[in-house]
Amino acid sequence: MPAAPIDLIIFDCDGVLIDSEVLSARILIEEVAGHGITLTPDYVRDNFLGRSFPTVAQIIRDRFALVLPPEFEARYRARLLELFETNLNVTPGLFEIMPQVTVRKCVATSSSPPRVARSLAITGLGRFFDRVFTASLVKYGKPAPDLFLHTAAEMGVPPARCLVIEDSRPGVAAAQAAGMQVLLYTGGSHMRGKAFDTTPPVRAFEAWEALPALCPELFKDLP
């Protein structure tokens, strides 16, 4: 059965719009090391990618029987935002492709509202999006479909006519559970040389320059 026309693109933020996952992994690894826990970038990617930080912190508590201090989350967030000020970049080719996309665009992310707001401000990406939605708006974050369904409702677009661009298993699963079309973006630094399977399979792309050939309907009104 042919896919429905796309009226809205819902972009994840970290690892899709901004090349931030290697930065957030670095800070998390350093912070938990201070509590005697050794994590690797691969472990962080495989276990925490696409999840909100409160969920990540709870997994760490449960999995390692670790009592984290009350200031753990605030310290992580402060250090990460400080690093963003000097080291945050958009994913390669994004600035060139965004002005060419002619359908509506918004962001739905597991990041906190202050983090995504600062990320979009630092990079100058905010001008491309109608609205920004975060997991703080719903009870259950990714892989539950709640955030994407909330986003579609607020934007007034049926889920079947939404395209989600994600980089994580939880994000892909959430989009599929919401009944949306989905693409897997693998061009972030954290995904270099890595891949993962999704069930059911989804189309993947590594470079933003490939998007017009992959989804020409997103550019249909260009002269």
Side-chain angles (χ1 to χ4, degrees), residues 42-123:
D42 284 352
Y43 186 93
V44 172
R45 185 192 61 250
D46 293 343
N47 291 272
F48 303 141
L49 189 65
R51 297 182 180 273
S52 67
F53 189 78
T55 299
V56 169
Q58 190 59 53
I59 292 172
I60 291 171
R61 292 186 188 97
D62 295 343
R63 194 166 294 174
F64 299 101
L66 185 64
V67 178
L68 295 174
E71 68 274 13
F72 181 79
E73 182 174 346
R75 177 181 167 86
Y76 163 85
R77 292 191 185 280
R79 288 193 61 201
L80 184 59
L81 286 178
E82 183 179 0
L83 186 61
F84 277 9
E85 294 293 333
T86 55
N87 289 268
L88 186 63
N89 295 300
V90 301
T91 50
L94 183 68
F95 270 130
E96 290 74 20
I97 204 69
M98 289 298 284
Q100 302 178 44
V101 178
T102 56
V103 302
R104 296 168 67 198
K105 300 175 286 291
C106 68
V107 177
T109 174
S110 296
S111 289
S112 67
R115 174 171 161 178
V116 66
R118 190 62 193 143
S119 298
L120 296 178
I122 290 170
T123 58

Side-chain angles (χ1 to χ4, degrees), residues 72-222:
F72 181 79
E73 182 174 346
R75 177 181 167 86
Y76 163 85
R77 292 191 185 280
R79 288 193 61 201
L80 184 59
L81 286 178
E82 183 179 0
L83 186 61
F84 277 9
E85 294 293 333
T86 55
N87 289 268
L88 186 63
N89 295 300
V90 301
T91 50
L94 183 68
F95 270 130
E96 290 74 20
I97 204 69
M98 289 298 284
Q100 302 178 44
V101 178
T102 56
V103 302
R104 296 168 67 198
K105 300 175 286 291
C106 68
V107 177
T109 174
S110 296
S111 289
S112 67
R115 174 171 161 178
V116 66
R118 190 62 193 143
S119 298
L120 296 178
I122 290 170
T123 58
L125 287 172
R127 67 184 185 271
F128 293 119
F129 301 103
D130 296 332
R131 293 183 64 182
V132 177
F133 302 90
T134 70
S136 62
L137 297 169
V138 295
K139 183 175 182 179
Y140 299 107
K142 305 170 187 178
D146 302 35
L147 177 58
F148 289 141
L149 291 173
H150 174 81
T151 298
E154 287 291 310
M155 296 297 289
V157 179
R161 298 177 77 98
C162 296
L163 171 67
V164 174
I165 301 182
E166 268 284 355
D167 70 316
S168 70
R169 283 191 186 91
V172 169
Q176 291 174 329
M180 297 179 178
Q181 301 173 61
V182 59
L183 290 175
L184 174 64
Y185 174 70
T186 62
S189 298
H190 63 297
M191 293 294 287
R192 287 178 187 157
K194 307 294 181 182
F196 60 79
D197 295 326
T198 59
T199 304
V202 301
R203 294 182 295 171
F205 69 106
E206 188 175 7
W208 288 110
E209 304 87 79
L211 193 59
L214 196 61
C215 291
E217 65 271 29
L218 306 181
F219 307 84
K220 60 188 176 182
D221 295 328
L222 287 177

